């Protein structure tokens, strides 16, 4: 890319516009996290600047997001006893992201099932709305959705109508602002300006933001204890996973608009460094922000310089605008946040639940319900487990359909010209495994095909078209062979590929099968079957002779 003055001007407009858009969101997310408005600003500076410089997506704008704000709020209420401990977990999540990037695991994170992402994001949207119920009506926010609902119901007759009016006006402006004007005058910014003006001039009894610290943020961490670090690994990992998925999905959106390709592992390193810095200096965790990124692109940003300009502008805001932010009514930020929460919910899946496959809806709704009403960490964990089970259930039938178990008639298989062979006998059976076999179908392989095996004197396992066998399926195939051995049935293996053979060798699956019976073609297997049937017949004749004698 040739960087010139025209590109620079585009980056300046993109960075400035993104900063304007991200200012109200950062303030609102900071408050929603439980760490305060300044924590949102510090997070925007740390993640925004470092992710732009060291990340792998040229046009991405990073900073506080709904999922990350809620994740930090969960930490504050459930996994940390002090703000310093919460910030330590934020910094730890950044370290984990850096490790994921350096170990080149970034590209695998996008394999998180869409049902889990949809349920989690929808749950986050619901949480944002629920925890804003109190600020909407002029009361202090609660960190838990359940607490917010309970307190709201107890205080429903003690509403601050000025706050409620400001929240309604801000929400209406943010929701109804024309999309075509958003590039130049974003709806949340207009809502912030008009709402603040109304709060200062008319509805003056609504609670305001109050004093916002100005100046360079100070180092906020202390050396944690070993016990705390061990206990904090789980929530830190979940935050790292959420932030990584969130950022890489935004990177894909940026790629689709610009026609470029991001570098996922480098993006995780940049996001991780940003979260480390944010945690060290009192900021909330952040990730790629869809609204900020699209705003940057629409305003002309085309390189990582636009993200750096955005980060520097947010730093200047932190250094000098604290006194000017204090009159902002909390209800105005709450109205903007409710609009953001509604946008985060996956309405396409929620409203189209009757048309979407049942497994997807079960996973999505399970993840969403647990995220909202129990715990964010548990919601993601259970969602991943449920998605794996649903996926395995689907694979089971598909994989079993690729197994063919057929009897081979003696006359047709052994020697069509030998009229002495019984044309109805089938002493040889064929079990052909085609495609991929995983743990999904492994437990059904034995129960489904062991009966077929017992009906023959020889069983040929045809693996000519077997693409992949995982460890569970390999051990189950070994059980099938053991069933044959226990019934004194001879086993022949045909056509193993190198990958299948490596798996079988690792678990010594063929230890009871002589090497001469591991062949490459069905013709070789036929010759071995003829020899074995001859030996079986000779053995039977000798037993008859001995019995007569």
């Amino acid at each position: 890319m040739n960087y010139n003055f025209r590109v620079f001007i585009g980056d300046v407009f993109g960075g400035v516009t993104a900063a304007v858009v991200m200012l109200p969101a950062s303030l609102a997310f900071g408050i929603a996290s439980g760490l305060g408005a300044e924590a949102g600003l510090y997070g925007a500076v740390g993640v925004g600047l470092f992710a732009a410089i060291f990340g792998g997506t040229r046009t991405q704008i990073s900073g506080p997001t709904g999922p990350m704000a809620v994740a930090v709020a969960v930490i504050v209420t459930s996994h940390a006893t002090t703000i310093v401990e919460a910030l330590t977990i934020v910094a730890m999540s950044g370290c984990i992201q850096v490790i994921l990037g350096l170990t080149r695991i970034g590209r695998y994170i996008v394999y998180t099932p869409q049902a889990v992402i949809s349920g989690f994001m929808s749950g986050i949207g619901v949480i944002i709305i629920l925890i804003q119920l109190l600020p909407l009506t002029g009361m202090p926010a609660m960190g838990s959705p359940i607490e917010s609902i309970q307190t709201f119901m107890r205080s429903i007759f003690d509403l601050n109508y000025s706050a409620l009016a400001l929240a309604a006006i801000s929400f209406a402006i943010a929701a109804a602002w024309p999309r075509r004007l958003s590039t130049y005058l974003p709806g949340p910014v207009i809502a912030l300006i008009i709402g603040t003006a109304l709060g200062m001039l008319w509805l003056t009894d609504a609670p305001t933001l109050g004093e916002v610290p100005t100046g360079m943020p100070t180092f906020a961490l202390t050396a944690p204890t070993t016990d705390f670090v061990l206990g904090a690994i789980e929530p830190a990992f979940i935050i790292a996973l959420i932030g990584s998925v969130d950022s890489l999905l935004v990177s894909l959106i940026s790629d689709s608009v610009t026609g470029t390709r991001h570098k996922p592992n480098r993006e995780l390193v940049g996001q991780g460094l940003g979260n480390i810095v944010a945690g060290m200096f009192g900021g909330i965790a952040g990730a790629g922000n869809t609204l900020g990124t699209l705003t940057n692109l629409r305003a002309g940003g085309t390189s990582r310089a636009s993200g750096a300009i955005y980060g520097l502008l947010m730093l200047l805001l932190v250094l000098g605008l604290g006194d000017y932010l204090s009159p902002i009514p909390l209800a105005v930020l709450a109205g903007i946040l409710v609009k953001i929460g509604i946008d985060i919910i996956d309405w396409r899946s929620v409203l189209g639940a009757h048309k979407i496959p049942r497994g997807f809806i079960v996973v999505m709704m399970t993840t969403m319900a647990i995220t909202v009403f129990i715990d964010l960490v548990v919601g993601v964990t259970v969602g991943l487990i449920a998605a794996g089970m649903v996926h395995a259930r689907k694979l089971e039938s598909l994989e079993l359909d690729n197994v063919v178990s057929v009897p081979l008639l003696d006359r047709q298989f052994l020697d069509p010209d030998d009229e002495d062979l019984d044309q109805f006998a089938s002493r040889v059976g064929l079990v052909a495994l085609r495609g991929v076999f995983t743990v999904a179908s492994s437990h059904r392989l034995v129960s489904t095909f062991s009966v077929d095996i017992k009906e023959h004197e020889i069983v040929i396992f045809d693996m000519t078209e077997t693409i992949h066998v995982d460890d569970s399926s390999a051990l189950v195939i070994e059980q099938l062979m053991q069933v044959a051995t226990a019934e004194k049935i001879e086993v022949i293996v045909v056509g193993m590929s190198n990958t299948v053979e490596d798996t079988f060798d690792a678990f010594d699956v063929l230890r009871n099968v002589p090497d001469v019976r591991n062949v490459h073609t069905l013709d070789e297997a036929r010759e071995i079957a003829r020899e074995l049937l001859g030996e079986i017949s000779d053995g039977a004749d000798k037993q008859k002779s001995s019995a007569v004698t």
Side-chain angles (χ1 to χ4, degrees):
M1 175 181 178
N2 294 323
Y3 200 85
N4 52 42
F5 183 74
R6 184 175 180 179
V7 175
F8 172 72
I9 293 299
D11 287 339
V12 170
F13 277 112
V16 170
T17 309
V20 172
V21 170
M22 290 295 290
L23 174 61
S26 298
L27 293 170
F29 286 136
I31 294 172
S33 72
L35 297 182
E38 65 275 12
L41 294 176
Y42 295 158
V45 174
V47 183
L49 191 57
F50 280 80
I53 296 173
F54 298 102
T57 311
R58 292 189 308 186
T59 54
Q60 182 160 290
I61 299 297
S62 300
T65 66
M68 299 302 271
V70 172
V72 174
V74 170
I75 288 175
V76 172
T77 57
S78 304
H79 299 280
T81 57
T82 65
I83 292 179
V84 172
E85 289 184 351
L87 294 174
T88 302
I89 295 177
V90 170
M92 287 175 60
S93 72
C95 294
I96 293 174
Q97 285 183 300
V98 172
I99 293 172
L100 293 176
L102 293 177
T103 53
R104 309 186 69 80
I105 300 178
R107 62 192 182 97
Y108 296 108
I109 292 178
V110 295
Y111 296 143
T112 302
Q114 181 59 36
V116 177
I117 295 174
S118 176
F120 175 76
M121 290 299 184
S122 297
I124 291 297
V126 172
I127 290 175
I128 289 174
I129 295 170
L130 292 179
I131 63 178
Q132 294 308 308
L133 286 176
L134 299 179
L136 284 173
T137 57
M139 291 178 282
M142 296 283 184
S144 165
I146 303 298
E147 292 177 347
S148 293
I149 295 173
Q150 292 172 342
T151 305
F152 179 78
M153 296 304 295
R154 288 195 301 265
S155 309
I156 195 167
F157 297 110
D158 299 323
L159 304 181
N160 183 318
Y161 290 101
S162 295
L164 187 60
L166 288 173
I169 293 170
S170 301
F171 172 80
I173 294 173
W177 190 252
R179 185 182 296 271
R180 65 180 183 276
L181 299 179
S182 295
T183 299
Y184 310 101
L185 294 170
V189 177
I190 302 303
L192 180 68
I193 294 172
I194 294 177
T196 302
L198 290 174
M200 294 175 65
L201 300 175
W202 181 31
L203 304 170
T204 56
D205 58 333
T208 61
L209 193 60
E211 183 181 356
V212 177
T214 57
M216 289 294 292
T218 58
F219 191 79
L221 300 186
T222 58
T225 64
T226 303
D227 291 340
F228 172 77
V229 171
L230 293 176
I233 289 176
E234 181 186 10
F237 182 82
I238 293 297
I239 292 177
L241 178 64
I242 295 167
S244 299
V245 172
D246 206 0
S247 297
L248 294 180
L249 289 176
V250 175
S251 296
L252 292 175
I253 294 172
S254 176
D255 288 350
S256 67
V257 175
T258 61
T260 59
R261 291 187 63 183
H262 71 283
K263 298 177 181 178
N265 296 306
R266 179 174 174 176
E267 183 61 39
L268 291 190
V269 172
Q271 294 289 338
L273 291 174
N275 280 320
I276 291 172
V277 174
M280 290 170 60
F281 292 96
I284 67 172
N289 187 288
T290 305
L291 178 61
T293 299
L294 292 177
T295 299
N296 175 42
L297 290 170
R298 290 167 182 163
T302 55
S303 78
R304 62 182 68 252
S306 60
I309 291 170
Y310 147 77
L312 290 173
L313 284 175
M314 294 301 288
L315 178 60
L316 293 176
L317 293 176
V318 169
L319 294 177
L321 279 187
D323 294 338
Y324 300 99
L325 300 177
S326 58
I328 296 175
L330 293 174
V332 171
L333 296 176
I336 295 172
L337 270 179
V338 169
K339 171 61 170 60
I340 293 173
I342 292 174
D343 289 341
I344 290 176
I345 295 174
D346 185 0
W347 291 107
R348 182 174 64 175
S349 298
V350 173
L351 298 179
H354 60 289
K355 297 184 291 185
I356 295 174
R358 186 173 61 180
F360 183 99
I361 292 301
V362 169
V363 174
M364 187 192 78
M365 291 300 183
T366 300
T367 305
M368 180 177 172
I370 295 176
T371 298
V372 174
F373 296 109
I374 299 179
D375 186 80
L376 181 138
V377 175
V378 177
V380 173
T381 304
V382 173
L384 289 172
I385 295 172
M389 295 173 65
V390 170
H391 184 62
R393 182 72 181 271
K394 292 179 181 178
L395 286 180
E396 180 184 65
S397 58
L398 293 174
E399 292 179 9
L400 289 176
D401 288 344
N402 290 330
V403 181
V404 177
S405 177
V406 294
L408 300 176
L409 297 175
D410 287 3
R411 176 77 67 85
Q412 293 181 357
F413 178 67
L414 295 175
D415 190 350
D417 298 326
D418 188 349
E419 296 183 357
D420 293 332
L421 292 174
D422 187 343
Q423 61 179 337
F424 300 109
S426 55
R427 291 176 290 172
V428 181
L430 177 74
V431 177
L433 295 96
R434 300 167 180 170
V436 175
F437 294 90
T438 66
V439 65
S441 61
S442 60
H443 72 288
R444 289 275 304 276
L445 282 173
V446 172
S447 60
T448 304
F449 299 104
S450 58
V451 176
D452 294 348
I453 289 175
K454 295 177 182 178
E455 296 177 354
H456 307 288
E457 298 176 20
I458 298 173
V459 174
I460 298 174
F461 285 86
D462 184 0
M463 311 192 75
T464 307
E465 298 181 40
T466 306
I467 299 173
H468 171 74
V469 174
D470 73 356
D471 51 357
S472 298
S473 295
L475 294 174
V476 168
I477 293 171
E478 180 187 16
Q479 290 181 38
L480 283 172
M481 295 179 180
Q482 289 174 349
V483 169
T485 302
E487 297 292 330
K488 299 188 180 331
I489 299 168
E490 303 295 341
V491 174
I492 303 172
V493 180
V494 177
M496 280 198 305
S497 65
N498 291 334
T499 56
V500 174
E501 190 170 11
D502 290 342
T503 304
F504 277 24
D505 288 345
F507 293 95
D508 201 14
V509 172
L510 303 181
R511 61 179 177 277
N512 295 322
V513 180
D515 291 340
V516 294
R517 298 187 196 174
N518 181 6
V519 296
H520 295 92
T521 65
L522 198 58
D523 289 335
E524 294 176 85
R526 180 185 291 111
E527 294 301 322
I528 295 174
R530 287 172 181 163
E531 295 176 6
L532 290 173
L533 288 172
E535 294 174 2
I536 294 172
S537 298
D538 292 342
D541 292 340
K542 289 180 181 179
Q543 288 181 357
K544 290 180 181 178
S545 300
S546 299
V548 172
T549 302

